Amino acid sequence: MGCALCAAIKGHRRMLIDEPLSRWIEADYLLETYSEVEKVAAMMAGEQSSGTFIAIPGETEKLKSQYAASVTALTVLEDAVTTPSFPTTGWTQEAGRRLRRARLTLRWPLTNIGASLPNLLATIAGNLFELKQVTGLKLLDLRLPDAFADAYGGPRFGIEGTRALTQVEKRPLIGTIIKPSIGLSAHDTAQLVKALCEAGIDFIKDDELQSDGIGCPFDERVKQVMQVIHHHADKTGRKVMFAFNVTGDLDQMRKRHDVLLAHGATCLMASIHSVGLTGFIELARFSQLPIHAHRNGWGYMNRHPLLGWSYIAWQKIWRLAGADHMHVNGLSNKFSEDDDSVIQSAKSCHTPLFAHKPCVAMPVFSSGQTAHVVERTYQALQSTDLIFTAGGGILGHPNGLSAGVRSLRLAWDLALAGQSVATASAHDQDLRLALEMHA
Amino acid sequence: MGCALCAAIKGHRRMLIDEPLSRWIEADYLLETYSEVEKVAAMMAGEQSSGTFIAIPGETEKLKSQYAASVTALTVLEDAVTTPSFPTTGWTQEAGRRLRRARLTLRWPLTNIGASLPNLLATIAGNLFELKQVTGLKLLDLRLPDAFADAYGGPRFGIEGTRALTQVEKRPLIGTIIKPSIGLSAHDTAQLVKALCEAGIDFIKDDELQSDGIGCPFDERVKQVMQVIHHHADKTGRKVMFAFNVTGDLDQMRKRHDVLLAHGATCLMASIHSVGLTGFIELARFSQLPIHAHRNGWGYMNRHPLLGWSYIAWQKIWRLAGADHMHVNGLSNKFSEDDDSVIQSAKSCHTPLFAHKPCVAMPVFSSGQTAHVVERTYQALQSTDLIFTAGGGILGHPNGLSAGVRSLRLAWDLALAGQSVATASAHDQDLRLALEMHA
C-alpha cells in the first residue's frame, strides 16, 4: 500500500487475470464417463458450440477459431468409481475401460451469446447432461465477464438495504415462517404476526405453499398483516420485515408488488424455480422492494451429487438477476444436506461476483433451525450477515413463541460474545427447552 | 352409442371420475427410501401442505381437514434395490430395514393455491426432493382440475395451426436445424435457408445456441432469412416455417417477437429451461406466432431415473402454458434416452390435457435423426403429427442438403405407404447414403 512497484505488479497481475476473462465465459464441471475423459470433454465443447454429431461443411477452421468452445483445464481424478452415477443407454462400455471422473473447464467466447443470462443457461447447461457418454455431470462453478455486470442489476438492497429497513445491526436478523404453511386465514395470520412482533421478531415470511388461495387471499393478507406491523412500528419505531409470497404469473406478480407498495410492505418473496429466470429478471427490474428468493425445488436440480447444478454456480445466476436474500438451508437441517455444504453455500452468497459490482446477497438459514445450531452456525460462517429463520423452532417452542424468539436472540448474543450456549442454558429455561427441541 | 342406458352409465362413470378431480390436484411419484414407505408418503403430504417437522399449535384438525394433502394411493414395488439411487446425509438406516420403492399419489385441495402453474410447482415439486428419508424420488405424472384450463391459454396454434401455416398435410413436417449451431453470419444463414427452401424443406429452426450474438444479430438474421423465405414463397406458394430463437430477457423477447411479426415470420422458438415458467406464460400470452419449445437442459431435470421430473408430467405444464411444439428427442438419438421413452414422450404430447381443452402440441423429433429411423418412428408413433428434424442428417448428407431433404421425404413416403425403407434404398442412392450415415 503506497508502494508504486507493488501497485504496478498488482495491476499487471489483474491485467493477466482479468483481461482475458472480459471476453470469455467459463464453466467448471465434474464429469464421470466410461469413455476417455479428454474425448468427452472435447465433445461437450463441440456440442455446446459449433459442432454436432457429424462433420458439417460449414464448420470451417476460421469459424471454429472464432466460435468454438475449448477445454481450458482438465484434471483426471483418482476416485475409485465402480458403479456409474446414473445409467446410460445405447453406449457400449469400451473393452477394459473403467469409469473415470475428471474436473474440467470449458470456455466460450462472450460474443457467441453476449451478456444474456437466459442464453447463458442454454450454453453452459444445455444438452450436455444428456450425452450418452456421460454417467455423471455436475456444473460446479461459472465465471462471467464484466459485460454481465452491466446487463443485470444484481440485488438492489442486499445486506445493507435489508439492515437499513429492519434497523438490525451487528447481529443476524431473527426470522420465522408462518406455520402451518397453509390453512391460516388472513386474520389468523395477522394475529400470529402481532404475537411475533411483540415477541421481538425481525423478519417473517410466508411459507412457499401460501400464495393467493381463497382461504387466505394475498391482498387481504397484506392488508391485515401490514396493519399489525405498522401498529407495532408506531409503538416501537421498528418495522418488522414481512416477505409476502408474490409467486404467480407475471401480471399477478406486478399487481401483488403494487399492493405491497401501497400497504408499506418492505419485502417480497418469490420461488425461483416456480417463477423461472426471465420472470425473475423482470420482477427484479420493476421491484422497489428487496427480493427474498426461495429455492424450493432445489432438490431436483442438485440432490444427486453427480447431476445438475452446484449451488455455487446456481446462486450466481440469481444474485446477478436481482436476488437480495438467498435460501441456503441450515445446519442440522431436516433435509439431506450436510453442514459443510450449507456453509459453503452461505459463504458463496457473501463472495463478490464482480470487483466493481459485488452483488452480495444475504443468505437465509432455515429448515429445522433452533437455538441448538446457533453457535456452530456462527463459528462456521464467521459473519452476522444472515437471516436466521426458524418456523417450528419458534412457533413450536413449549413456552410459546415469545420464548422461541427470545431463546434464539439469546443464543446469538451468547455466540457473538464467544460464550457457550449449552453452558448458559442451565440458567435459562427458554434456552434449555429450545436446545431440547432438536435433541 | 344410441343406447340410453350406456350413455347414463358412461355419464355416471364420468361423474365419479371427473367430479372429484374438479376440486383436487393430484401428483404421482416413484419413491425410494430406507424408511417405511407409508410413513415417508405421509411426511411428503405433510411437508407439502400444513405440516412441518414438529407439531404446531395452529395445525388443528379442522385446518387439516380443509388444507392437508393426503396419500390417495400407494403401491409398494417388489424391485430388489440394494444401493440407494442417491446418498442421504444424517439419516441412520433403521436396523434390518431394506431399501423399498413405492408408487404413490398425493392429492391437494385446489383451493390451497388456486389455478396457478407457478404455485403448482412449489406445491407438487417443492422441498420434498430434499427430504433425508428419500434416496430416490421422481414426479411421474400430474392431474389438474378444469380451473387450470380456464386460467391458461394452451397452444394457440398446435398441430392444426402449424399445418395451416406450412401447408403440409397428411405427413410429418420435415425440418432441420441451422448448423453449425453458432458461427454463421446472418448472410450465411440466409444463404443456407435459400438452399434448404430449394431442397424442399418444410421447417427450419435456429440452434438453441444461436440467439443474438454480434456475429449473427437477431434482427439482421430475421430480415435476411425472411427475405429468402418470402422470395421462395412467392415462387412456390409455400412459406417455409422458420423458428427464430427469441430466448432472452422479457423485453428482448417482446421486441424480437415484434420484429418477427414485422417481417412476416411464422414461428418463434424459446428454450423453456432458460426462459422459465412465468416468462414463458407471458410470452405465450403476447405471442401471435406458434411457440417452438426447446427443452435443452432437460438432462438436469430428468437424467437420473429416480430423481426429478418425468417428461409425462413436465410437458403438461408447458403445453398448458402455451407451447405449440415440444421437443421429445428422437429414436436412436445421440443422447442417452431409449426409444420407448421417446415414443412415450411424443404420445404424451398428443394426449388431451382436458376433455374440453385438449392442448395438443406437435412433438418435435431431433438429435442424430436420419432416414434410418423414419420407419421405426412411424410404426411406433402411428401418427404423422410430428416435426421430424435432422441437422447433421440433412446438412451432412454426402450428396448435399437437397439429397438430405429428399432422402427424408422419400423415407417418410415409403413408411406411410407401408413399404420397407431399407429395401427401397437399393434403388435410390440418396436414401442409401442417408441410411449409411447412421450405421
Side-chain angles (χ1 to χ4, degrees), chain B residues 86-105:
Chain B
F86 42 74
T88 188
T89 306
W91 178 251
T92 316
Q93 186 177 345
E94 291 172 31
R97 191 167 281 287
R98 66 180 182 89
L99 275 174
R100 297 302 289 268
R101 288 185 184 167
R103 200 187 149 100
L104 63 99
T105 300

Side-chain angles (χ1 to χ4, degrees), chain A residues 46-59 63 67 85-90 111-114 116-119 121-123 125-127 129-135 151-152 179-184 208-216 245 247-254 256 271 273-282 285 294-305 307-309 314 329 332-338 367-370 391-393 395-396 437-438, chain B residues 46-59 63 67 85-90 111-114 116-119 121-123 125-127 129-135 151-152 179-184 208-216 245 247-254 256 271 273-282 285 294-305 307-309 314 329 332-338 367-370 391-393 395-396 437-438:
Chain A
E47 176 68 26
Q48 292 309 109
S49 62
S50 60
T52 186
F53 71 108
I54 191 171
I56 294 291
E59 199 191 2
L63 184 144
Y67 292 92
S85 289
F86 42 74
T88 187
T89 307
T111 46
N112 280 24
I113 54 168
S116 164
L117 281 179
N119 289 298
L121 296 197
T123 294
N127 285 335
F129 298 91
E130 294 182 63
L131 291 170
K132 66 176 68 166
Q133 290 79 358
V134 162
T135 63
Y152 294 94
K179 299 274 176 190
S181 308
I182 182 115
L184 298 182
E208 73 274 14
L209 301 171
Q210 182 66 276
S211 50
D212 192 27
I214 56 170
C216 189
N245 182 20
T247 302
D249 301 346
L250 195 67
D251 55 335
Q252 294 170 333
M253 292 200 293
R254 277 185 204 279
R256 289 171 194 162
S271 293
H273 299 108
S274 301
V275 171
L277 187 53
T278 64
F280 191 86
I281 290 167
E282 188 68 12
R285 285 184 178 153
H294 200 292
R295 72 174 198 182
N296 65 83
W298 175 236
Y300 59 75
M301 302 288 285
N302 167 270
R303 177 72 193 268
H304 195 290
L307 179 62
W309 286 75
W314 196 227
N329 211 340
S332 302
N333 57 76
K334 64 182 170 181
F335 300 126
S336 64
E337 191 175 1
D338 67 36
S367 176
Q369 300 295 281
T370 69
L395 304 171
M437 284 175 77
H438 210 101
Chain B
E47 176 69 26
Q48 292 308 110
S49 62
S50 60
T52 186
F53 72 106
I54 191 170
I56 294 291
E59 197 190 3
L63 184 145
Y67 292 92
S85 289
F86 42 74
T88 188
T89 306
T111 46
N112 280 22
I113 55 167
S116 164
L117 281 178
N119 289 299
L121 295 197
T123 294
N127 285 334
F129 297 91
E130 294 182 64
L131 291 170
K132 65 176 70 167
Q133 291 79 0
V134 162
T135 63
Y152 294 94
K179 299 275 174 188
S181 308
I182 181 115
L184 298 182
E208 73 274 14
L209 300 172
Q210 183 66 275
S211 50
D212 191 29
I214 57 169
C216 190
N245 182 20
T247 301
D249 301 346
L250 194 67
D251 55 335
Q252 294 170 331
M253 292 200 294
R254 277 186 204 279
R256 290 171 193 163
S271 293
H273 298 108
S274 300
V275 170
L277 187 53
T278 64
F280 190 86
I281 290 167
E282 188 68 12
R285 285 185 178 151
H294 200 291
R295 72 174 196 181
N296 65 83
W298 175 237
Y300 59 75
M301 303 288 285
N302 167 270
R303 176 73 193 268
H304 195 290
L307 180 61
W309 287 74
W314 196 228
N329 212 339
S332 302
N333 56 76
K334 64 182 169 179
F335 300 126
S336 64
E337 191 174 1
D338 67 36
S367 177
Q369 302 294 283
T370 68
L395 304 172
M437 284 175 77
H438 210 101

Side-chain angles (χ1 to χ4, degrees), chain A residues 26 56 86 198 264 266 268 300 308 332-333 340 356 386 399 429:
Chain A
E26 286 190 344
I56 294 291
F86 42 74
E198 287 163 1
T266 55
L268 64 80
Y300 59 75
S332 302
N333 57 76
D340 286 349
H356 69 294
L386 69 149
N399 281 357
Q429 199 204 32

Side-chain angles (χ1 to χ4, degrees), chain B residues 311-392:
Chain B
Y311 192 77
I312 306 301
W314 196 228
Q315 54 88 29
K316 289 186 178 178
I317 306 281
W318 299 92
R319 280 164 59 198
L320 183 54
D324 294 282
H325 308 158
M326 287 289 298
H327 275 239
V328 297
N329 212 339
L331 300 198
S332 302
N333 56 76
K334 64 182 169 179
F335 300 126
S336 64
E337 191 174 1
D338 67 36
D339 291 351
D340 286 350
S341 170
V342 172
I343 292 299
Q344 196 187 23
S345 294
K347 286 185 172 171
S348 73
C349 295
H350 287 164
T351 308
L353 269 189
F354 303 96
H356 68 294
K357 187 169 184 168
C359 297
V360 169
M362 204 152 190
V364 182
F365 284 66
S366 65
S367 177
Q369 302 294 283
T370 68
H372 186 70
V373 295
V374 164
E375 203 171 341
R376 283 192 292 128
T377 301
Y378 180 60
Q379 282 166 0
L381 191 62
Q382 289 293 312
S383 168
T384 58
D385 289 334
L386 69 149
I387 304 178
F388 185 87
T389 65

Side-chain angles (χ1 to χ4, degrees), chain A residues 141 310-316 319 326-328 341-353 358-361 363 381:
Chain A
D141 202 354
S310 79
Y311 191 77
I312 305 300
W314 196 227
Q315 53 89 30
K316 288 186 176 177
R319 281 164 59 198
M326 288 289 298
H327 274 239
V328 297
S341 169
V342 172
I343 293 298
Q344 196 187 24
S345 294
K347 285 186 173 173
S348 73
C349 295
H350 286 164
T351 307
L353 269 189
C359 296
V360 169
L381 191 62

